[in-house]
Amino acid sequence: MSKSSVIDVFLRVRPTKNPSNLFKLNKDEGTAEFTIPKNPDQGYINNQIEKHTFNFAGVFPTDTTQEEIFDKIAKDVVDSAIEGYNGTIFAYGQTGSGKTYSMTGNPEARSSAGIIPRTLYHIYDYARRESELIIDVTISYLEIYGGSGYDLLVADNRSRNLHDLPKVQAMATANGQTILQGLSLKKAQTEEDALNLLFIGEQNRVIAETPKNDASTRSHCIFIVILECRKPTSDVKTVSKLCLVDLSGSERIGKTGVEGILQREATGINLSLHFLELVIDCLNRQANGENIHIPYRDSLMTLVLKDSLGGNCKTRMIATMSSEPDDLPESICTCRFAGRVANIKNKVTRNEAVDPFIIIEKLKRENQQLKAELAMIKGQSIKDHLESYEIDECKKKVDEFLNSEDPAAILVVNDHLKMNECFFQLKHMLKNLNKKGSLQPVVSQPQNLTTNNTVELQQLNDEVLRLKQLIIQRDNEIMILLNLIQKGKGSQANQSLVLQGPISEQPEVQQANTSSILQPIEFPKQVEIDRQSQILTEKPAIKKQNFMQGSLDSEPMSQTTKNTTTAQLKELGGMLSEPINISNEQLLDRNSALEMFRKSYRKAQAQEDLKQELYDKMMTSKELGLFINNQRNVISQLKDKIEQTRKEQVLLGLVSSDPNQVSTEEEKLIAEYNKQKDIYKQSFDKLKQLKAEVERMSTQLKHSREKMQQDFEKWIDMMLKQRNLSMAATSVLSDFKNLSQKGGEDVNSMVQQFYKNKEICNQLLQK
């Protein structure tokens, strides 16, 4: 819904050494009063008005700070722009009255910064505070000189001539909008980028010395900020345009006495301001009910500001004036112009639009969610457990869901087992977060059993794990026991009792050899048993731990087990650069084991090198940032020197009528100025590259640390399994001494009982 809004007009008085007593300012009532006595030389009939009073939305005396100007005039407009309303702030007044200081000021010093840099500060401060609002900032900078438009955001401009800048042309569309062809749009991701664009534009502006101002801007400049704002959960965005206009100062050539180029510039400035005043006069007549054409097309400036004057925009005007006695007539003209502007009414409308890209992504998510729900309703792909790759997919989805910055993100799964797995991951992440203060990797439990009772499911999962570990332990025990028996029996026993790997993995081997195993076993003579026992007594069952490549020596194993262990050891061997000598106590202490693993980790040195390189890059970026700030000061000093040189030439009468002819000293300064600008641009580009490299190296270091943590988990898991195997071997060999004295029937009974228990465990696992 649109609402009518008048243009608020404010008055600011520039400090002066010789203020006139004919001017009074009432800050409380917002009025400015001029008292001009009649001129007696005009005779007895003199209808001159002696007292002139003007009303404003606010008046600011000479001691007003830049911060107060922004808070009272611009802040409300900037906030409205963030909400989706177009805004314009423009300064109008006599040359040398403080328009450029009010709009730009000194961006390098925050205390003296004008409305434009403070607007950028406010936008990015607001974006940092409101984390739920996404704000995209795009910046353009237009200069209008002699009725023609030029793009000021050209960082690689090496010419001292204005006409080398890209030209901007205005084109009207079928729906009445104006497109500025040739005007660049620069994305500003950070506050530093936005201020850098402002700095580049200011360096390209046309500035000259006049009798009223040592550094007078000889063109109109429009700093355009386009804001796109949206909430992450909404598919509607607002697009607003904020125009911050610094109009060139009006001046009377008869009073200033300028000649040559300055005279032609003053004529062009006054002509463009005349067209602006003509548009405002027609808008006033239209507001009084008169049907009249508004001549926006008479000049480029009025065409660009079409929405700001009588259109869809919230507009504010700053009228600047000087209270010098000689400047009072021009100040009265400024106040009259401001009074006419205050009568203009704009129709302000919030600019909302639906972002098609957001709608497409939203529909894709809904489509994916509906497909998953449909698959669950139809019962497609019903199974009783998840594969390992499906568990990894669930982990990945949970991580993406937790790490997503979009509040509208959802977790879509199309299977009840996957849903249980995702809940399992979330539950354990929450437990680890409460215990340790950080998320830890979760070892997924098998999803072979399904029930609605969470407690019962957890108990069954724990029981399955216990049975699996028991099977592995019994497999190792029986293989060691059988190998020792085969040593005593000879080749015939070897043929009947050799097991080709763990029986849990090869059920057909179990069936083929069951008959052989269940038959009475002929044990070796007591002399052979005593000899074996003597060897076991003299040689410890578990040798001294030799963790070369992370392994333990043990009694002989079957060929399949040897191959499996060799492959695991080979994989673990690639992780370490040297053997690790670690005791059982250190192995059970996770922190000590991690520290010893890190010291022997093959990629540890590469991590340290990457960390050092990252530190060097960060220090280089810091030094380069200081150099860039210093380079800005150098460029500003050179610009001041060029202006001082031109001022001296004007005083000495050495200015030529040819605009392209400059003195040797000025030419050297301009050459040095362009050289320093090139250095500044190259340094800024290099700083951007360094920042990108720092970010890339930080990500690489993070991934390297995660990889080391994964390798450590594999290594310590292997070490704990080897430790358990060695302890089991010790127990079996101890029992073997006792069994060897009891006869074969007890052994057969033990083997039968083992496989019976193992079959029960396998049946439980299959359920």
Side-chain angles (χ1 to χ4, degrees):
M1 179 181 293
S2 62
K3 55 183 179 180
S4 180
S5 173
V6 297
I7 298 179
D8 294 327
V9 179
F10 301 84
L11 178 67
R12 186 179 191 182
V13 182
R14 176 181 177 173
T16 180
K17 295 181 180 179
N18 184 26
S20 174
N21 56 4
L22 302 178
F23 168 73
K24 293 181 181 180
L25 199 68
N26 191 328
K27 187 175 181 180
D28 296 332
E29 297 180 1
T31 59
E33 183 178 321
F34 297 85
T35 303
I36 308 298
K38 292 183 179 181
N39 188 358
D41 297 338
Q42 295 183 0
Y44 293 102
I45 302 176
N46 188 350
N47 296 324
Q48 177 185 345
I49 300 176
E50 295 185 353
K51 185 174 291 188
H52 305 268
T53 303
F54 302 94
N55 296 319
F56 296 90
V59 294
F60 301 97
T62 57
D63 58 348
T64 306
T65 62
Q66 294 280 69
E67 183 178 4
E68 186 178 354
I69 291 292
F70 176 79
D71 291 340
K72 296 293 180 61
I73 300 176
K75 187 176 180 179
D76 180 53
V77 178
V78 178
D79 289 336
S80 298
I82 296 176
E83 295 176 0
Y85 298 95
N86 295 334
T88 297
I89 303 172
F90 69 94
Y92 178 91
Q94 179 186 6
T95 180
S97 59
K99 298 181 301 301
T100 302
Y101 180 76
S102 297
M103 295 302 300
T104 305
N106 182 13
E108 299 294 333
R110 193 150 186 157
S111 60
S112 59
I115 289 178
I116 296 178
R118 287 181 184 273
T119 297
L120 299 177
Y121 300 153
H122 184 71
I123 290 174
Y124 288 99
D125 287 342
Y126 188 92
R128 284 189 288 268
R129 292 195 308 270
E130 301 293 334
S131 58
E132 294 185 355
L133 186 66
I134 300 174
I135 302 178
D136 294 329
V137 182
T138 306
I139 292 176
S140 299
Y141 208 169
L142 172 67
E143 180 178 44
I144 301 175
Y145 178 82
S148 300
Y150 300 92
D151 184 11
L152 291 176
L153 297 184
V154 182
D156 58 349
N157 179 42
R158 296 178 172 82
S159 175
R160 60 174 177 267
N161 294 324
L162 170 70
H163 300 287
D164 291 330
L165 293 172
K167 264 201 168 186
V168 178
Q169 295 181 349
M171 299 181 63
T173 60
N175 56 2
Q177 294 182 348
T178 302
I179 297 177
L180 298 176
Q181 186 177 12
L183 184 64
S184 60
L185 299 172
K186 303 289 186 179
K187 286 284 187 181
Q189 302 291 343
T190 62
E191 181 180 306
E192 181 182 3
D193 293 340
L195 292 174
N196 182 65
L197 292 174
L198 174 61
F199 176 76
I200 292 173
E202 289 298 313
Q203 299 304 314
N204 292 329
R205 290 188 66 176
V206 177
I207 297 175
E209 182 188 3
T210 65
K212 299 295 294 181
N213 192 357
D214 292 340
S216 175
T217 54
R218 311 304 292 168
S219 60
H220 310 296
C221 290
I222 306 175
F223 190 83
I224 304 173
V225 182
I226 300 176
L227 300 176
E228 294 186 12
C229 307
R230 70 176 180 89
K231 294 183 178 180
T233 57
S234 174
D235 53 7
V236 178
K237 66 177 182 179
T238 61
V239 182
S240 59
K241 181 171 67 174
L242 183 60
C243 296
L244 305 175
V245 187
D246 180 15
L247 298 176
S248 184
S250 62
E251 56 182 290
R252 298 185 180 183
I253 300 177
K255 278 190 174 183
T256 57
V258 295
E259 297 178 351
I261 299 175
L262 296 179
Q263 182 181 6
R264 291 196 298 270
E265 290 177 346
T267 302
I269 292 170
N270 291 335
L271 180 62
S272 61
L273 293 176
H274 165 71
F275 289 135
L276 176 62
E277 188 170 355
L278 182 62
V279 167
I280 292 173
D281 182 62
C282 292
L283 287 171
N284 276 279
R285 293 165 62 184
Q286 188 183 65
N288 294 328
E290 185 176 348
N291 187 12
I292 188 173
H293 169 69
I294 311 299
Y296 289 112
R297 293 179 177 272
D298 286 355
S299 70
L300 177 61
M301 182 180 63
T302 55
L303 189 59
V304 173
L305 298 179
K306 180 179 179 180
D307 285 338
S308 304
L309 303 172
N312 176 22
C313 188
K314 187 174 185 177
T315 306
R316 298 281 174 86
M317 172 187 166
I318 308 173
T320 59
M321 58 160 285
S322 171
S323 58
E324 289 278 350
D326 294 340
D327 296 332
L328 290 183
E330 193 70 21
S331 298
I332 293 175
C333 293
T334 299
C335 292
R336 286 174 178 166
F337 177 83
R340 290 192 292 271
V341 172
N343 294 327
I344 299 176
K345 292 184 179 181
N346 293 346
K347 294 182 179 180
V348 185
T349 305
R350 193 165 186 258
N351 304 308
E352 291 184 338
V354 177
D355 194 336
F357 297 103
I358 299 177
I359 294 180
I360 291 173
E361 291 298 324
K362 184 178 180 180
L363 292 176
K364 284 182 178 179
R365 289 197 300 266
E366 290 181 358
N367 189 24
Q368 185 181 7
Q369 186 177 7
L370 291 174
K371 284 182 177 180
E373 292 178 0
L374 185 61
M376 293 183 66
I377 293 173
K378 290 183 176 181
Q380 297 177 354
S381 303
I382 297 178
K383 51 187 177 180
D384 58 353
H385 69 280
L386 296 179
E387 303 295 338
S388 58
Y389 71 91
E390 293 176 316
I391 294 176
D392 293 338
E393 288 179 359
C394 291
K395 289 182 182 179
K396 184 178 180 181
K397 285 185 177 182
V398 171
D399 291 338
E400 291 177 353
F401 174 72
L402 294 177
N403 295 327
S404 175
E405 297 180 357
D406 187 0
I410 58 175
L411 187 60
V412 180
V413 291
N414 58 358
D415 189 280
H416 65 285
L417 291 179
K418 292 182 180 179
M419 187 182 300
N420 289 337
E421 174 65 24
C422 292
F423 281 131
F424 175 82
Q425 295 291 329
L426 289 170
K427 174 183 176 182
H428 281 266
M429 284 184 179
L430 181 60
K431 285 184 176 180
N432 292 329
L433 179 64
N434 292 334
K435 290 180 180 179
K436 301 181 180 180
S438 61
L439 294 179
Q440 300 293 330
V442 181
V443 180
S444 175
Q445 299 289 346
Q447 298 291 329
N448 298 336
L449 302 176
T450 59
T451 178
N452 295 329
N453 192 327
T454 307
V455 177
E456 183 180 354
L457 178 62
Q458 183 63 34
Q459 292 175 353
L460 289 173
N461 288 335
D462 294 340
E463 181 66 16
V464 169
L465 279 180
R466 188 188 67 80
L467 292 175
K468 278 188 174 183
Q469 294 175 356
L470 181 61
I471 290 173
I472 295 173
Q473 181 178 352
R474 295 309 179 197
D475 275 340
N476 294 327
E477 290 175 359
I478 198 63
M479 282 189 291
I480 295 172
L481 179 61
L482 293 176
N483 282 324
L484 290 174
I485 295 174
Q486 292 166 14
K487 287 183 181 180
K489 294 192 58 149
S491 61
Q492 184 177 359
N494 288 337
Q495 295 176 0
S496 61
L497 293 177
V498 170
L499 298 178
Q500 300 297 326
I503 300 177
S504 60
E505 299 178 1
Q506 300 185 13
E508 67 278 2
V509 177
Q510 176 184 350
Q511 297 173 3
N513 296 334
T514 302
S515 60
S516 303
I517 296 173
L518 296 180
Q519 294 176 359
I521 300 174
E522 183 180 355
F523 274 81
K525 296 180 180 181
Q526 186 65 35
V527 177
E528 181 64 19
I529 294 176
D530 294 339
R531 187 180 65 82
Q532 293 289 345
S533 301
Q534 183 180 1
I535 294 175
L536 293 173
T537 304
E538 294 175 356
K539 181 180 179 180
I542 301 178
K543 298 181 181 180
K544 183 180 179 181
Q545 295 174 348
N546 178 18
F547 288 88
M548 177 74 71
Q549 313 303 338
S551 66
L552 286 170
D553 288 336
S554 62
E555 291 297 323
M557 297 181 292
S558 66
Q559 187 64 31
T560 303
T561 306
K562 289 181 180 180
N563 293 339
T564 304
T565 306
T566 303
Q568 292 174 343
L569 294 178
K570 186 175 181 181
E571 179 185 0
L572 297 177
M575 304 177 185
L576 305 176
S577 59
E578 59 182 8
I580 300 178
N581 296 322
I582 186 170
S583 62
N584 283 332
E585 292 77 9
Q586 292 174 328
L587 184 62
L588 295 177
D589 185 356
R590 190 176 183 85
N591 293 332
S592 300
L594 178 60
E595 181 63 23
M596 297 186 69
F597 178 81
R598 187 186 63 80
K599 291 180 179 178
S600 300
Y601 190 54
R602 189 177 297 276
K603 298 180 181 179
Q605 185 59 40
Q607 286 185 1
E608 293 298 327
D609 295 342
L610 182 61
K611 189 187 300 183
Q612 182 62 36
E613 186 178 358
L614 177 61
Y615 175 77
D616 294 340
K617 294 282 186 184
M618 293 176 66
M619 295 304 297
T620 304
S621 300
K622 184 177 180 181
E623 294 175 358
L624 190 57
L626 295 175
F627 174 77
I628 289 175
N629 291 334
N630 182 59
Q631 196 68 15
R632 286 183 181 178
N633 297 331
V634 172
I635 293 175
S636 299
Q637 292 174 3
L638 285 173
K639 186 177 179 181
D640 294 340
K641 288 183 180 179
I642 293 174
E643 294 173 358
Q644 183 65 26
T645 302
R646 290 174 178 173
K647 187 189 305 182
E648 294 175 355
Q649 291 174 352
V650 170
L651 294 176
L652 296 175
L654 300 178
V655 178
S656 173
S657 60
D658 186 1
N660 295 323
Q661 184 177 357
V662 296
S663 65
T664 305
E665 183 180 359
E666 184 180 352
E667 186 174 2
K668 290 181 180 179
L669 289 173
I670 292 174
E672 180 66 21
Y673 173 77
N674 292 330
K675 178 182 177 182
Q676 296 299 329
K677 283 181 64 177
D678 292 341
I679 296 174
Y680 171 81
K681 180 182 179 298
Q682 294 172 2
S683 301
F684 188 79
D685 293 341
K686 185 177 180 181
L687 180 60
K688 281 190 173 181
Q689 294 176 0
L690 282 174
K691 287 184 177 180
E693 291 179 6
V694 167
E695 184 177 357
R696 177 186 59 80
M697 293 173 66
S698 299
T699 305
Q700 183 179 353
L701 182 61
K702 177 183 176 183
H703 291 167
S704 177
R705 288 173 175 170
E706 292 175 353
K707 174 64 175 172
M708 186 185 74
Q709 183 66 27
Q710 294 173 1
D711 291 344
F712 170 72
E713 296 296 337
K714 293 180 181 179
W715 175 80
I716 196 170
D717 183 60
M718 181 64 179
M719 298 303 300
L720 292 174
K721 287 181 179 179
Q722 292 284 10
R723 174 180 174 275
N724 295 335
L725 177 61
S726 300
M727 294 176 64
T730 305
S731 175
V732 171
L733 291 175
S734 175
D735 294 340
F736 173 72
K737 287 184 178 182
N738 299 328
L739 288 173
S740 61
Q741 298 176 0
K742 295 181 180 180
E745 295 182 358
D746 290 340
V747 176
N748 286 333
S749 175
M750 175 183 175
V751 173
Q752 289 177 354
Q753 185 63 34
F754 164 73
Y755 283 111
K756 183 178 179 181
N757 295 336
K758 183 176 180 180
E759 184 177 358
I760 295 173
C761 293
N762 287 332
Q763 291 175 358
L764 289 173
L765 290 175
Q766 290 175 0
K767 291 180 183 179

